[in-house]
Amino acid sequence: MTTQYLSAEDSTTPQIAAEIIKNGELVAIPTETVYGLGADGLNPDAVAKIFAAKGRPQDNPLILHIADAADLEKFCHSIPESAWALAEKFWPGPLTMVLPAKDIVPKCTTAGLPTVAVRCPDCEITRQIIRKAGVPVAAPSANISGKPSTTTAKHVYHDHNGKIPLIVDGGPCRVGVESTIIDLTDEKPRLLRPGGITVEAMAEIVGEIVIDKAVTGSIDKDTVVKAPGMKYRHYAPECSVIIVDGSTEAAARYIKKRYQPGNRVLCFEEELDAFSAFAPLSYGKEADTDTLLAGLFAALRELDDPSIGTVFARCPAGSGKGMAVQNRLLKAAGFHRVNAERFVLGITGGTGCGKTTLLKAFESIGGVIMDCDAIYHELLKTNASLLYSIEDRFPGCVEAGKLNRKKLGAIVFSDPAALADLNAITHGAVKAEVQRRLEVASTPVAIDAIGLFEGGLYELCDATVAITAPLEDRIARLTVRDNITTEQAMLRINAQKPESWFRENCDYILENNGAAIDFQEKCLAFFDKLSIIKKKA
Ligand code: TXA
Ligand code: MG
């Protein structure tokens, strides 16, 4: 099929487009939000072509586009006053309302739902096309399913050239993200998708609006959601996207530690200088959210390249129109979001030095402790691949899915090479798990690990600290705590790395050489010095 390409400026375009739609074929249409892939919304065969062209899941319903607000009555029943009030204020415009559907709307348009989504777009040419076609136009965003939406005719060309009869070029879309969707079929209005019309602006007309959890959180595939489209990974370029929160400086530090050649940073125009070492791409001004909305999808399309590997993205605050930017970015990132401001402290030191006091002090400032020994034992229960790796290297040490610690201990403690092999297996698994947990942590984190350095965990830390204590204090602590003799305590201490080793390798040393209460004070002063808790500006 050859795809015709017509300008919205040509006076004959609306008639040509309307004829194609009446004939049950597809037309890519401009709107103020994004380009849509339009067809006669009352014709099941035509609607089926939309699903086929986009590769869209069948359970994801379409929006019906109408030319005049009054047409709402043709396709919906039980229309509440609030719907008319919203239409009066925001139509034509980037707002879609979900209402009970009349029988005239085919099941394939609504994906079998008793409701239908309707919108009157603020785009003169498209409203003319709808009027001339004499039918409501069902149109999803014109992108291939899962890809960033199309905000220029060229994006549509890229996704559909040769597959649809006509693209109408109306220039770049003014708003740049898809319409706000509000469901008016419940007791309270519910926001299903944030867009160019803000919750704040709608609330002035309809009062309290419930924010559907799909707007801000990740929804698993089997959850029943109000807007079926919200559960799919969306807008995603062919590389992984990580949202990096926090100040520009903190984000630059975070990225610097992880940056690989080829990676990109998606940021605000104001930050281009700060990220100049990381191939930054600006999508708009942080100070002007409209520019971020308008630029987001074009930028995500530019980053749609597997050779990039990772995109570190900056995201605006979630109020007003920022909510729509944040929602699209979160989906592009598969909800992968980190806080560059959260401090990660690596804690180590010899046995009996009083690490517990420091850990308690850390918790008292709201920090979270990742006890790597506990994580290892948890992984032995939950991570089959760890158990299999141990079993492969140490046959007979895993019985019925459980590690036989005695057997394994007998092997590794008499054979340094075997111990090194075991450590290579366990350290890798523990590090991966700690990394996974760090990505979702929002408070300061302390990684508590004897093998902080051997296991490579120090690489995940912003700073490392070792606790030291006078030998006689350590012996006294161990004999009481573990009910052992002085000789046994000495054996344990000598089996570990000497204090000098910690002094050489750690960023900081904290000496526990006074009363417990003094050491606690010392720890708190130390956290303060490191600015582990960010003070509000
Ligand atoms: O700005 C827009 O709305 C663009 C332009 C072309 O108008 N269209 C658009 O369509 O974004 P689409 O198909 O990409 O997104 C429609 C969303 C999907 O998440 C879908 O699940 C939801 O609307 N939806 C459609 N009908 C619904 C219904 N009856 N109840 C709940 N959600 C519905
Ligand atoms: Mg879409």
Side-chain angles (χ1 to χ4, degrees):
M1 182 185 297
T2 40
T3 301
Q4 253 196 102
Y5 201 81
L6 294 178
S7 165
E9 317 249 287
D10 291 344
S11 59
T12 53
T13 299
Q15 192 57 43
I16 297 171
E19 290 300 331
I20 296 177
I21 286 172
K22 276 198 281 190
N23 283 334
E25 296 297 331
L26 304 185
V27 176
I29 48 170
T31 81
E32 79 283 28
T33 57
V34 300
Y35 276 76
L37 196 58
D40 177 351
L42 302 183
N43 175 346
D45 293 334
V47 169
K49 289 179 189 165
I50 296 179
F51 283 92
K54 268 189 71 109
R56 182 177 176 105
Q58 294 289 336
D59 68 349
N60 195 2
L62 304 173
I63 294 173
L64 271 190
H65 294 72
I66 57 178
D68 300 283
D71 288 347
L72 197 55
E73 264 174 330
K74 294 187 186 161
F75 311 109
C76 307
H77 65 84
S78 319
I79 303 171
E81 255 328 295
S82 56
W84 293 116
L86 287 169
E88 169 76 25
K89 173 87 181 167
F90 298 114
W91 276 0
L95 177 67
T96 296
M97 295 192 246
V98 172
L99 292 161
K102 281 190 172 166
D103 288 343
I104 184 179
V105 185
K107 286 289 169 218
C108 57
T109 300
T110 64
L113 294 176
T115 57
V116 62
V118 184
R119 142 170 145 83
C120 177
D122 184 15
C123 178
E124 191 45 42
I125 175 95
T126 288
R127 286 207 312 280
Q128 277 183 36
I129 295 171
I130 299 168
R131 279 194 199 105
K132 285 189 191 296
V135 290
V137 170
S141 50
N143 54 287
I144 302 275
S145 259
K147 288 282 153 200
S149 295
T150 39
T151 53
T152 65
K154 197 170 165 196
H155 294 157
V156 183
Y157 176 84
H158 180 269
D159 284 12
H160 297 291
N161 184 40
K163 291 186 276 178
I164 59 175
L166 174 64
I167 297 172
V168 176
D169 187 347
C173 299
R174 176 172 59 78
V175 178
V177 302
E178 307 87 338
S179 58
T180 302
I181 304 180
I182 189 163
D183 180 346
L184 297 171
T185 61
D186 257 353
E187 229 165 89
K188 282 193 187 137
R190 176 183 289 266
L191 179 80
L192 300 186
R193 181 174 75 184
I197 304 292
T198 64
V199 174
E200 293 87 342
M202 291 189 296
E204 280 184 22
I205 293 169
V206 300
E208 192 198 339
I209 297 170
V210 179
I211 313 284
D212 199 80
K213 63 177 189 296
V215 171
T216 48
S218 170
I219 299 292
D220 76 60
K221 278 217 306 299
D222 302 320
T223 307
V224 177
V225 289
K226 288 273 180 173
M230 298 301 276
K231 71 184 170 193
Y232 296 104
R233 183 168 183 228
H234 247 128
Y235 319 121
E238 286 281 328
C239 46
S240 61
V241 178
I242 303 176
I243 297 175
V244 183
D245 288 331
S247 69
T248 308
E249 297 70 37
R253 268 197 308 276
Y254 178 94
I255 294 164
K256 188 174 177 196
K257 271 189 134 178
R258 291 152 180 91
Y259 187 81
Q260 303 284 330
N263 292 173
R264 301 287 306 265
V265 168
L266 176 65
C267 66
F268 312 127
E269 204 177 304
E270 294 94 327
E271 299 181 315
L272 281 170
D273 281 346
F275 294 122
S276 61
F278 316 120
L281 172 68
S282 145
Y283 65 109
K285 290 197 183 76
E286 184 178 26
D288 181 356
T289 317
D290 283 337
T291 64
L292 297 173
L293 281 179
L296 180 63
F297 284 130
L300 286 176
R301 281 188 169 251
E302 190 169 333
L303 299 172
D304 191 8
D305 172 357
S307 74
I308 290 174
T310 301
V311 172
F312 300 96
R314 299 284 288 156
C315 184
S319 57
K321 292 184 188 176
M323 188 190 249
V325 180
Q326 205 168 83
N327 167 266
R328 304 310 191 274
L329 262 182
L330 276 169
K331 287 186 172 268
F335 293 88
H336 189 170
R337 184 176 198 178
V338 298
N339 178 2
E341 307 261 351
R342 93 164 141 41
F343 200 96
V344 181
L345 180 65
I347 297 175
T348 188
T351 183
C353 286
K355 212 169 50 173
T356 316
T357 306
L358 177 126
L359 294 175
K360 279 199 182 130
F362 195 78
E363 280 179 324
S364 78
I365 61 161
V368 165
I369 291 163
M370 293 191 192
D371 175 344
C372 290
D373 199 43
I375 288 177
Y376 169 58
H377 286 109
E378 248 181 83
L379 287 178
L380 284 176
K381 287 192 207 128
T382 56
N383 183 330
S385 92
L386 172 63
L387 269 187
Y388 289 141
S389 303
I390 295 175
E391 192 180 16
D392 283 349
R393 171 62 183 83
F394 302 100
C397 286
V398 177
E399 291 154 354
K402 272 186 94 175
L403 185 67
N404 184 330
R405 256 170 245 185
K406 260 201 180 142
K407 230 176 185 176
L408 184 64
I411 299 171
V412 297
F413 288 125
S414 60
D415 177 356
L419 182 61
D421 285 350
L422 178 65
N423 281 339
I425 295 169
T426 59
H427 287 160
V430 170
K431 187 177 175 188
E433 176 63 14
V434 169
Q435 204 159 4
R436 197 186 63 74
R437 294 186 188 190
L438 278 180
E439 271 158 12
V440 292
S442 54
T443 43
V445 174
I447 299 178
D448 170 14
I450 295 194
L452 190 66
F453 288 86
E454 300 87 325
L457 288 160
Y458 73 98
E459 291 168 5
L460 305 175
C461 301
D462 294 302
T464 56
V465 60
I467 320 299
T468 63
L471 187 60
E472 55 277 16
D473 291 3
R474 294 176 69 184
I475 294 171
R477 220 173 269 125
L478 285 175
T479 49
V480 173
R481 188 188 76 190
D482 296 346
N483 194 21
I484 54 178
T485 65
T486 301
E487 288 67 37
Q488 286 168 323
M490 276 308 294
L491 273 178
R492 281 197 198 177
I493 290 171
N494 287 331
Q496 295 185 332
K497 293 206 159 56
E499 195 179 299
S500 58
W501 189 91
F502 290 112
R503 288 190 181 275
E504 247 164 62
N505 289 283
C506 290
D507 300 324
Y508 300 93
I509 296 290
L510 277 182
E511 263 196 279
N512 183 7
N513 54 1
I517 182 88
D518 296 334
F519 186 51
Q520 197 180 334
E521 283 301 316
K522 204 183 222 178
C523 293
L524 291 173
F526 170 67
F527 301 151
D528 206 43
K529 181 176 108 188
L530 284 186
S531 313
I532 284 175
I533 293 200
K534 292 279 171 282
K535 297 195 178 64
K536 294 245 159 64

